[in-house]
Amino acid sequence: MKATTKYICQACGYESLKWLGKCPSCGEWNTLIEEVERPKGRFDAVPVDTSVAARPKRLSEIDYDADERIRTGDRELDRVLGGGIVKGSLVLVGGDPGIGKSTLLLQICHSVATDQPVLYVSGEESASQIKLRADRLKIDSDRLLLLAETNLDNILHHAGEIKPCVMIIDSIQTIFKPDVASAPGSVSQVREATHFLMRLAKENKIAVFIVGHVTKEGNIAGPRVLEHMVDCVLYFEGERQQSYRILRTVKNRFGSTNEIGVFEMKDSGLVPVDNPSAMLLSGRPTNASGSTVVCTLEGTRPVMAEVQALSSPSGFGNPRRMATGMDYNRAVLLVAILEKKLHYSMQNQDVYINVVGGLRMVETATDLAVILAIASNYKNFIIPPDTIILGEVGLTGEVRGVSFVDRRIAEAKKLGFSRCIIPYDNLKAAKEVKGIELVGVRSVKEAIAAIVGE
């Protein structure tokens, strides 16, 4: 049959028979790339070998090794992965350029290669460049094998001969399958390469780590099919100008999601941070308005964070709102609650909110801390440095309960905090934690009164 061409959007995977400037599905411009479609019916006549095909089994007949995880020796990484690397798993690692993805994976190779072979495949760097980074990180092992290759057939051949326990693909956008008529990094190439790597991982119990490029919005480049195919998705977050990095799990078939690992980038590589709460609160001002402390849950881990707010008169007709480390729309909503329910004149005030340390807060349990930080700076009152604030704020100004309040308060007590302002509904559950003063509030007005003593 004659091969036909089609145009596939590199952002969402939309297919079209003709070229379009703007993708009708995702709205992106100039993302439709021409690809050759494999003729249908080409493999329809291939017989199925029933002697080797998988057969249905009863659930009671299936055996598995309860300890199939490979320990990396890195506490933070093992936590994020759910206890270690699962044999036969396919893990996708994404992050901004220069954030430390290759450094982290090279350190994983060094930890695992002490007693088992590891294969590091690079399609972006030569073997000498990887060796240069390994020397800088003081990594040296005879079981760590380097391969500078982009042809997937050659990679699968070497992996079949070596039988490594862990294989790194850096990156998936550079790998190509020769019989797929499209450029490396296209939707077809990425999908086909990931499919073959998944088969390699499952059939040979090889843990495969895939590095994926990210877009300017911070998402994995290409369609979401790549994230659906893998077992675990890790995002490496942080600013290159800062020394701290956060490794976040957004999908994990073998553990909990939304777990984070905190690392510090040093000359010797990425070093795990034992106490992220103490790190995020280091250098906190003790006698300044607009600063509050909140405890947010990242997976199963309670993490203390400092929230800062700045309110200043606006010189324009439309006041500016800026939020770093939290959802912008949520920040605008909290400012509106202050204006409507507490009669603060915010329509002529620029409001800036910042979560210190590069942490991003996604849960609503931090609402009360954010709104009190804004009120503190606007009214110029100081929130005591030994006080933490918890609570979700509704549109009528009420303070609603939060989950796992006892775990959050215990983390605050461990770091030396002596007072906690919490929702009134959480008082009963929080009383199990001794040695810290608990103040229950029903509204934002009561919370401010508890701070200023009105």
Side-chain angles (χ1 to χ4, degrees):
M1 296 180 63
K2 183 179 178 181
T4 59
T5 61
K6 57 183 178 181
Y7 296 85
I8 301 180
C9 176
Q10 304 303 297
C12 68
Y14 176 81
E15 297 183 6
S16 174
L17 295 178
K18 61 179 181 179
W19 183 85
L20 301 171
K22 181 180 180 181
C23 175
S25 177
C26 64
E28 295 291 332
W29 288 89
N30 299 322
T31 57
L32 269 72
I33 304 298
E34 181 182 6
E35 296 186 10
V36 178
E37 186 178 17
R38 189 165 53 188
K40 296 181 180 179
R42 193 173 172 181
F43 301 101
D44 292 346
V46 178
V48 177
D49 188 355
T50 57
S51 62
V52 298
R55 299 176 181 276
K57 293 183 180 180
R58 294 185 178 90
L59 184 63
S60 57
E61 297 175 349
I62 300 176
D63 297 326
Y64 71 97
D65 186 359
D67 190 21
E68 283 194 331
R69 295 184 183 269
I70 304 170
R71 301 290 178 176
T72 64
D74 190 315
R75 298 179 302 276
E76 294 297 302
L77 181 62
D78 286 342
R79 167 192 282 270
V80 170
L81 292 172
I85 303 172
V86 177
K87 296 178 182 177
S89 62
L90 190 61
V91 182
L92 175 63
V93 182
D96 294 331
I99 202 69
K101 301 185 297 295
S102 300
T103 299
L104 176 66
L105 294 176
L106 199 57
Q107 291 182 197
I108 294 174
C109 293
H110 177 64
S111 301
V112 178
T114 55
D115 54 355
Q116 302 178 79
V118 175
L119 179 61
Y120 191 107
V121 181
S122 176
E124 300 178 345
E125 298 176 293
S126 64
S128 59
Q129 290 175 313
I130 302 173
K131 171 64 175 174
L132 184 64
R133 181 187 297 115
D135 290 341
R136 178 173 57 84
L137 300 175
K138 296 181 174 56
I139 294 176
D140 187 17
S141 175
D142 291 336
R143 294 182 179 271
L144 175 55
L145 306 174
L146 304 179
L147 176 63
E149 181 61 76
T150 56
N151 190 319
L152 182 62
D153 291 341
N154 294 339
I155 294 172
L156 297 176
H157 171 73
H158 290 296
E161 287 186 341
I162 299 170
K163 294 288 193 298
C165 65
V166 174
M167 184 169 73
I168 310 294
I169 303 294
D170 188 7
S171 66
I172 190 64
Q173 277 83 8
T174 62
I175 306 301
F176 73 95
K177 192 82 168 59
D179 55 353
V180 177
S182 58
S186 62
V187 174
S188 300
Q189 286 286 3
V190 169
R191 183 172 54 235
E192 287 293 314
T194 305
H195 172 72
F196 280 95
L197 290 172
M198 181 175 63
R199 287 183 54 186
L200 174 71
K202 305 302 180 185
E203 294 175 0
N204 299 277
K205 287 189 175 295
I206 300 174
V208 180
F209 285 78
I210 297 174
V211 176
H213 292 164
V214 297
T215 62
K216 60 183 180 181
E217 289 83 13
N219 301 319
I220 297 291
R224 287 287 180 178
V225 66
L226 182 60
E227 297 187 26
H228 294 317
M229 294 176 69
V230 301
D231 298 312
C232 183
V233 180
L234 306 179
Y235 275 94
F236 220 22
E237 303 173 354
E239 298 292 337
R240 283 183 290 178
Q241 294 79 14
Q242 297 181 354
S243 60
Y244 294 106
R245 306 285 191 270
I246 296 176
L247 185 65
R248 185 184 302 274
T249 311
V250 296
K251 174 186 177 181
N252 193 353
R253 289 174 178 160
F254 312 109
S256 63
T257 57
N258 288 325
E259 285 285 0
I260 67 165
V262 183
F263 300 86
E264 183 178 4
M265 178 66 81
K266 297 184 176 180
D267 293 338
S268 58
L270 288 164
V271 179
V273 177
D274 293 329
N275 193 342
S277 296
M279 177 269 294
L280 291 170
L281 295 180
S282 61
R284 180 168 61 99
T286 58
N287 197 27
S289 63
S291 174
T292 61
V293 177
V294 66
C295 186
T296 179
L297 278 181
E298 294 288 349
T300 59
R301 165 186 278 182
V303 178
M304 307 290 292
E306 180 190 358
V307 180
Q308 293 182 344
L310 177 64
S311 173
S312 63
S314 176
F316 304 95
N318 293 323
R320 189 175 185 184
R321 305 285 186 256
M322 181 178 292
T324 303
M326 68 172 296
D327 181 59
Y328 170 80
N329 294 323
R330 191 74 185 176
V332 172
L333 181 147
L334 296 176
V335 173
I337 293 174
L338 274 177
E339 185 171 11
K340 180 69 175 180
K341 298 301 177 182
L342 278 80
H343 308 293
Y344 284 18
S345 181
M346 308 299 295
Q347 70 272 11
N348 58 356
Q349 295 284 320
D350 292 333
V351 178
Y352 305 90
I353 302 170
N354 178 45
V355 181
V356 179
L359 188 68
R360 180 165 182 82
M361 303 186 306
V362 295
E363 61 172 349
T364 55
T366 60
D367 286 351
L368 188 58
V370 174
I371 209 168
L372 286 186
I374 301 171
S376 167
N377 188 260
Y378 180 75
K379 290 294 187 178
N380 198 28
F381 64 84
I382 297 173
I383 298 176
D386 62 344
T387 301
I388 75 162
I389 300 169
L390 300 171
E392 177 185 351
V393 178
L395 292 180
T396 62
E398 83 279 9
V399 178
R400 296 177 176 269
V402 300
S403 59
F404 303 105
V405 66
D406 52 342
R407 192 180 300 174
R408 301 172 195 262
I409 296 175
E411 177 71 10
K413 180 185 174 183
K414 185 172 68 175
L415 290 177
F417 289 86
S418 59
R419 191 172 186 233
C420 184
I421 297 178
I422 61 174
Y424 186 84
D425 295 340
N426 287 130
L427 271 179
K428 185 177 179 180
K431 285 181 179 178
E432 299 178 2
V433 182
K434 306 297 182 181
I436 188 170
E437 180 187 356
L438 302 176
V439 180
V441 296
R442 294 184 174 90
S443 65
V444 175
K445 185 176 294 185
E446 289 185 16
I448 295 178
I451 295 293
V452 300
E454 296 179 355

